[in-house]
Amino acid sequence: MWSRLRPLHPTVCQHRSLLAKLCSTSAPSEAPVAKADPAKPTFGLVFDIDGVIARGRDVIPAAVHAFRELVDSSGNFRVPTTFVTNASNNLKYHKAEQLSEWLGLPISSDQVVMAHSPLKWFTQYHHKHVLVSGQGPVEAIALNLGFTNVCTIDSFRRQFPALDVVDHSRRTWMTVPSNASFPPIEAVVLLGEPVRWETSLQLLVDVLMSDGLPLYRVDQPPLPHLPVLACNMDLQWMAGAPMPRFGHGAFLTCLEALYRKITGHTLTYSALVGKPCEITYHYAVSKVEAQAEKAGNSNPIRHIYCIGDNVNADVFGANLYNQFLENRFTPEPVPQQRNYSLLNRDGTLKEHRSHAERCYSVLVQTGVHFGPGGERKWESDHSPRDFLPVDQRLLQPDFDCRDVHDAIQLIFEQEGFSTS
């Protein structure tokens, strides 16, 4: 069934970081708190999708049973619930429709957080001319996030037809001039893994080396290079195949390696969003609290339970966010995993200030890190490059469950919550 694991005790690092700026501020003075309604929950739920609710297009049976216990007779959620996926190839209302079909429940798009959703908070890039890589309706996704001047990889390739030569059938055999009037790219947005990796890798390296306009040969790349915003760092994910499939993290690994091999420099990110980045959990908590308010629940949401199947994304990310919650008002330097995405340039917290006090990681055995016999299988160095080396304790879940139904029962028991 499930087992309780030893609580995490993060080590104290000696280096200061951007997050320390926030944590050096004093805690807000306590205001009078309204009496809690015992019939309403003081906790919220954050669900991963792939490997927890479905594998590929096949719904995991335990998920259907679990969600029947989460809603009342009218289909309203008893507990504020958000779905957080590292998928980034669609608009969130399409994912909400898919979840509604799978679970037989009305799921609102306001309950869905895609890997790219937190980019709404990065308004300093919204008016730049951005090159967007991924698949699906990437232009519509970028515009929906607030970007106003978007160029896709396919559009960029048409402007510079001589750049894409790996596929012989797509080569331009005649000399075709590039568009010299094309406005330079000012930032790069990597939404997810593209279909044609060789095209995207070539054009992205060209753009970074040429400072946004690959019209001439470049011997020395600009330093720093253009801002790069990346979503979804999953090296692998669990679909319908027996073994995990490549994710966007695999594509990013290729891009990082090629850029370093060609330029001799390290590719740096101006923003990383999606799990395991803390800002994704912070964004999800803002949605959980909005769901509670919408349902008429005035109780502050103190505990967040994150249910996932991926140790390197779901467990690691939830534990990192819990580490942030534990240290946000601590004047001492705090443990840090390149947590530059939670803060604005002045060191203030982005957009949302939550009441959350504790984030629990719940690992289910229906996804990427479990063999047929239920044994765990994962590697710590499968975590994203910018999060290495990983404190092994941050890869240990607070709770270990067979499936999502067991996880819901465990959480209700922990919180003393009854659906009757």
Side-chain angles (χ1 to χ4, degrees):
M1 292 285 288
W2 54 269
S3 62
R4 181 70 168 95
L5 299 185
R6 185 175 62 180
L8 298 172
H9 299 284
T11 58
V12 177
C13 300
Q14 296 303 311
H15 66 286
R16 289 192 174 269
S17 61
L18 284 175
L19 186 58
K21 296 180 184 178
L22 174 67
C23 297
S24 64
T25 61
S26 58
S29 58
E30 292 190 5
V33 179
K35 187 176 180 180
D37 182 349
K40 300 288 188 179
T42 57
F43 65 98
L45 302 174
V46 173
F47 289 93
D48 181 31
I49 298 175
D50 294 311
V52 174
I53 294 172
R55 290 182 61 161
R57 295 185 179 274
D58 298 324
V59 180
I60 296 171
V64 178
H65 297 301
F67 279 86
R68 286 175 183 164
E69 298 184 12
L70 282 177
V71 298
D72 60 22
S73 58
S74 301
N76 299 313
F77 278 85
R78 293 187 172 101
V79 179
T81 297
T82 297
F83 301 86
V84 180
T85 175
N86 261 355
S88 53
N89 60 351
N90 222 327
L91 294 163
K92 65 178 184 176
Y93 74 84
H94 289 308
K95 182 59 72 174
E97 290 176 349
Q98 186 180 52
L99 286 167
S100 299
E101 181 181 346
W102 282 347
L103 299 173
L105 300 171
I107 305 298
S108 165
S109 62
D110 290 336
Q111 293 177 271
V112 176
V113 176
M114 307 294 287
H116 48 69
S117 295
L119 289 180
K120 285 191 173 184
W121 285 352
F122 289 83
T123 55
Q124 66 267 41
Y125 300 105
H126 286 179
H127 297 294
K128 292 184 179 294
H129 188 203
V130 296
L131 178 64
V132 181
S133 170
Q135 60 179 289
V138 293
E139 184 174 10
I141 291 170
L143 292 172
N144 184 260
L145 291 169
F147 294 97
T148 58
N149 193 0
V150 177
C151 179
T152 66
I153 289 288
D154 284 343
S155 296
F156 191 79
R157 176 180 170 272
R158 288 193 292 272
Q159 297 294 327
F160 300 92
L163 300 183
D164 184 22
V165 299
V166 172
D167 185 343
H168 289 208
S169 66
R170 284 157 60 102
R171 285 185 178 179
T172 300
W173 295 107
M174 295 183 296
T175 302
V176 180
S178 297
N179 185 352
S181 63
F182 183 81
I185 296 295
E186 297 173 292
V188 171
V189 179
L190 307 175
L191 290 177
E193 63 271 24
V195 175
R196 286 183 170 269
W197 286 31
E198 78 285 354
T199 297
S200 293
L201 289 169
Q202 180 68 76
L203 270 57
L204 289 168
V205 171
D206 287 342
V207 165
L208 293 174
M209 290 187 64
S210 64
D211 210 24
L213 195 61
L215 289 172
Y216 310 103
R217 178 185 176 93
V218 176
D219 293 320
Q220 292 295 328
L223 295 176
H225 58 65
L226 294 175
V228 178
L229 290 67
C231 314
N232 177 7
M233 291 147 282
D234 285 354
L235 184 71
Q236 297 175 304
W237 65 287
M238 201 68 207
M243 293 183 291
R245 304 292 84 194
F246 289 157
H248 192 216
F251 178 81
L252 296 179
T253 300
C254 294
L255 179 61
E256 291 160 7
L258 283 170
Y259 183 82
R260 184 167 185 82
K261 189 74 172 179
I262 293 170
T263 68
H265 300 288
T266 299
L267 178 72
T268 59
Y269 297 104
S270 298
L272 288 170
V273 298
K275 298 177 288 188
C277 286
E278 296 97 317
I279 193 171
T280 294
Y281 292 86
H282 195 61
Y283 190 89
V285 168
S286 75
K287 298 300 181 183
V288 167
E289 294 184 336
Q291 291 296 317
E293 183 178 353
K294 185 177 179 180
N297 180 3
S298 59
N299 292 343
I301 302 301
R302 303 295 188 188
H303 295 166
I304 302 294
Y305 291 86
C306 298
I307 301 100
D309 73 304
N310 190 318
V311 171
N312 299 107
D314 302 308
V315 172
F316 184 38
N319 290 341
L320 278 176
Y321 186 61
N322 181 63
Q323 183 174 268
F324 162 74
L325 293 177
E326 289 180 341
N327 292 285
R328 58 181 161 174
F329 301 123
T330 302
E332 299 297 326
V334 296
Q336 173 67 10
Q337 300 279 357
R338 288 298 293 273
N339 185 6
Y340 39 72
S341 295
L342 264 170
L343 304 176
N344 294 306
R345 289 178 178 176
D346 61 359
T348 58
L349 190 64
K350 283 186 179 293
E351 295 293 331
H352 178 72
R353 194 176 191 88
S354 78
H355 295 285
E357 298 171 352
R358 181 69 164 87
C359 180
Y360 294 96
S361 55
V362 183
L363 181 68
V364 296
Q365 301 175 8
T366 50
V368 70
H369 284 301
F370 284 86
E375 68 277 10
R376 291 190 193 180
K377 297 177 178 294
W378 75 76
E379 298 291 338
S380 61
D381 62 0
H382 283 190
S383 297
R385 181 202 67 184
D386 285 23
F387 292 79
L388 297 174
V390 172
D391 183 339
Q392 294 297 308
R393 286 170 291 187
L394 294 176
L395 298 178
Q396 298 300 318
D398 289 307
F399 299 103
D400 207 335
C401 300
R402 181 177 59 192
D403 53 41
V404 67
H405 185 254
D406 281 356
I408 294 303
Q409 291 180 319
L410 177 154
I411 294 165
F412 282 3
E413 180 177 331
Q414 282 288 116
E415 293 292 329
F417 185 74
S418 174
T419 59
S420 58

